[in-house]
Amino acid sequence: VTHSWREPWEPFAKAVIEEGGRKLEEPNLFICSLALKQGDAATVKAQVGASVDTAPFLRALRQAKQLLVVRNAIEDIYTRMWCVAELVFASDLGFVEQGRLIVTGPDGFKGSTTGCKDARCSNPEDRKMIVDWMEDREISDSDIDQVIQKIRRFRTL
């Protein structure tokens, strides 16, 4: 599940439960805000590691069948660099081309035009690490920005 940590819990949980309820089998979910110990920057950094490729969310994506994108009314998730990294990695794994992205939540940021390189991180070192990592990916920034725009504009029921 890719999401912003700033969203209110209740709408986030409702979106995840509603989407999961459409499956015959209950899905296994990796939700970083629940799976990772929250704390100061050192605590989080110890779990995330020194490389984007070894970050827990990306390790989980390697095992995933789908990526659930949970938008919210508070913050465009693609202004958050870790959410951008998850999308880039999902693209590397074929999720975008194979239709394995599921989008839920409000489309309040459908008019946003910020690109992947405009995203920010609470830790400037993480942002630099992700931007450097993105330079080595096969997908271009403009292609990622096109996927981000599709996700922002996607209408949910």
Side-chain angles (χ1 to χ4, degrees), residues 72-98:
N72 68 81
I74 303 298
E75 177 177 56
D76 176 359
I77 66 170
Y78 292 113
T79 62
R80 305 299 307 159
M81 190 56 88
W82 278 109
C83 293
V84 169
E86 290 169 339
L87 182 61
V88 169
F89 198 66
S91 178
D92 286 352
L93 294 172
F95 282 54
V96 175
E97 295 80 16
Q98 297 167 12

Side-chain angles (χ1 to χ4, degrees), residues 1 13 15-31 63-68 102:
V1 176
V16 171
I17 290 167
E18 285 177 357
E19 193 54 49
R22 295 182 182 149
K23 308 287 185 220
L24 184 59
E25 293 184 30
E26 191 171 298
N28 294 315
L29 302 174
F30 180 90
I31 302 172
Q63 303 300 315
K65 294 177 183 168
Q66 298 172 317
L67 175 61
L68 177 61
I102 301 168

Side-chain angles (χ1 to χ4, degrees), residues 32 47 143 150:
C32 60
Q47 297 170 89
D143 288 341
K150 284 183 181 179

Side-chain angles (χ1 to χ4, degrees), residues 36-51:
L36 300 179
K37 183 178 177 183
Q38 306 305 302
D40 60 20
T43 300
V44 174
K45 186 68 174 176
Q47 297 170 89
V48 170
S51 165

Side-chain angles (χ1 to χ4, degrees), residues 133-144:
W133 172 82
M134 286 173 60
E135 296 298 325
D136 295 332
R137 311 317 319 154
E138 289 185 26
I139 190 165
S140 69
D141 294 349
S142 63
D143 288 341
I144 283 295

